[in-house]
Amino acid sequence: MLFSNGYEMVREVANHGSFSKAASALGVSGAAVSKQVKFLEQRLGLVLFHRTTRIVSLTEAGRQLVDALNRGGDEISGLLDQLSEGQEKPSGKLKINAPMAFGERFLVGPIAEYARLYPEVIVDVEFNDKRVHLVEEGFDLIIRIGALEDSGLIAKRLCGFPAKICASPDFIGRFGMPARPLDLRYIPAVHYTNTASGLSLRFKSPGGKEEAIHLTPAIYANSIAMLTESVLTGIGYARVPSFSVNEHIKEGRLIHLFPNYKLLPERGVYAIYPDNRFLPLKVRKFIDLLSERLGEMDEDF
């Protein structure tokens, strides 16, 4: 095992959890360590580390490589053949996180199909509405909805995700039918706490004018089911995903407010992953399948 080929540097970065600390331990510059690790990744066609502003952590391939190095390196040749094969046929573990209501409604079918198509991939699925740290919590990919913040991660848009402002007939009976979004400023709202937009709603009028209102929450909810039920019960109005309320609107249980206004920002469904270099085949195949299946279901949203 040659020092110059980057293997020792990979092990030191893994041991210290830092490129700069590994450089100090090896007595070289941080730039030299980064260059050698990147060169090794290019030569192997693998990403060995996830790098964020908060943390440096091993990928699955990196962890297997370091384990082999720590056992003496005799198994490296066989391991590299195995990892190379993983780039030709999906294998390993695929850990996914997605929002609960959307996942249960639209993702269970595609995920099960993926698991059937690629039996050598172990799929680990979490459906919940909490915010997760993709790299720190070991996810290969997360599905997120909404206008994305700049996180330094890679985001691929899979499909659109329309929403509607809705209220129940009982609520309208008590507070009156609003003629325009500004009429909502002082009446109770149901606030979805996982949104990045805070306590505000933005609209574009049919004439193209943008308006914004500050919400007066009567209840806070961190799940789509609770959000929808709160609106149905008449606690307040809310911005609700269309898939969750379309049937209720058809049945007259909810009223779609301001259908001629456009909600801002326009939201989509995104696959988010940490690195676009040498994207593992297991992740790429999942994104491809999900993009195709969600595209087919787009009208159901």
Side-chain angles (χ1 to χ4, degrees):
M1 180 176 61
L2 299 176
F3 177 83
S4 60
N5 64 15
Y7 286 116
E8 186 64 21
M9 293 188 175
V10 166
R11 182 159 61 181
E12 287 298 320
V13 174
N15 288 341
H16 292 87
S18 163
F19 279 79
S20 60
K21 290 179 181 178
S24 179
L26 292 167
V28 298
S29 69
V33 173
S34 181
K35 181 178 180 181
Q36 286 295 323
V37 171
K38 286 183 179 179
F39 178 76
L40 181 61
E41 289 180 321
Q42 289 170 355
R43 188 159 65 85
L44 299 178
L46 299 166
V47 175
L48 301 175
F49 292 99
H50 293 312
R51 305 155 172 88
T52 73
T53 56
R54 294 188 299 268
I55 193 172
V56 173
S57 63
L58 288 163
T59 63
E60 181 181 3
R63 186 166 54 253
Q64 292 181 51
L65 178 59
V66 170
D67 286 345
L69 292 171
N70 289 336
R71 289 194 297 268
D74 296 336
E75 303 173 17
I76 288 181
S77 178
L79 173 63
L80 294 181
D81 288 342
Q82 177 185 336
L83 293 175
S84 177
E85 182 180 342
Q87 292 296 86
E88 299 173 0
K89 181 172 62 175
S91 63
K93 185 176 182 179
L94 180 68
K95 189 174 181 182
I96 307 162
N97 175 273
M100 177 70 76
F102 182 81
E104 290 184 334
R105 178 78 173 268
F106 296 106
L107 300 184
V108 289
I111 291 173
E113 180 182 359
Y114 176 89
R116 179 182 60 80
L117 289 172
Y118 305 109
E120 294 188 32
V121 178
I122 300 170
V123 182
D124 183 356
V125 184
E126 287 188 11
F127 287 159
N128 57 55
D129 292 314
K130 71 175 185 177
R131 291 179 180 271
V132 300
H133 295 291
L134 188 150
V135 173
E136 289 89 332
E137 297 184 44
F139 291 100
D140 293 291
L141 175 141
I142 60 177
I143 305 299
R144 284 295 171 265
I145 297 167
L148 297 183
E149 300 173 351
D150 183 9
S151 63
L153 300 170
I154 309 300
K156 176 180 172 57
R157 193 175 191 274
L158 300 173
C159 62
F161 191 73
K164 295 179 171 69
I165 301 294
C166 292
S168 70
D170 173 69
F171 183 85
I172 296 300
R174 285 184 286 126
F175 292 94
M177 176 64 76
R180 56 179 185 158
L182 289 176
D183 295 338
L184 298 175
R185 286 175 295 177
Y186 306 115
I187 61 177
V190 180
H191 180 56
Y192 182 59
T193 54
N194 284 343
T195 181
S197 59
L199 289 171
S200 65
L201 284 174
R202 291 171 51 215
F203 303 83
K204 180 180 285 187
S205 72
K209 180 182 178 182
E210 291 193 16
E211 301 176 1
I213 62 168
H214 185 78
L215 303 182
T216 304
I219 187 171
Y220 293 82
N222 72 344
S223 77
I224 299 301
M226 189 71 241
L227 182 74
T228 305
E229 186 61 28
S230 297
V231 178
L232 284 166
T233 306
I235 296 172
Y237 70 90
R239 174 175 182 157
V240 193
S242 294
F243 80 84
S244 184
V245 295
N246 282 340
E247 287 302 314
H248 297 306
I249 293 171
K250 290 179 182 177
E251 294 168 1
R253 300 184 65 200
L254 288 178
I255 297 171
H256 179 193
L257 305 179
F258 323 119
N260 295 326
Y261 282 73
K262 181 181 292 185
L263 278 165
L264 300 175
E266 294 186 60
R267 295 177 174 173
V269 180
Y270 294 84
I272 303 173
Y273 46 96
D275 205 317
N276 205 25
R277 297 173 303 126
F278 318 120
L279 186 65
L281 186 61
K282 63 181 180 181
V283 177
R284 187 164 67 248
K285 288 291 187 182
F286 182 75
I287 291 173
D288 290 345
L289 186 146
L290 204 57
S291 182
E292 182 178 347
R293 294 295 174 263
L294 289 181
E296 293 171 351
M297 293 187 290
D298 200 27
E299 63 183 26
D300 296 329
F301 298 159

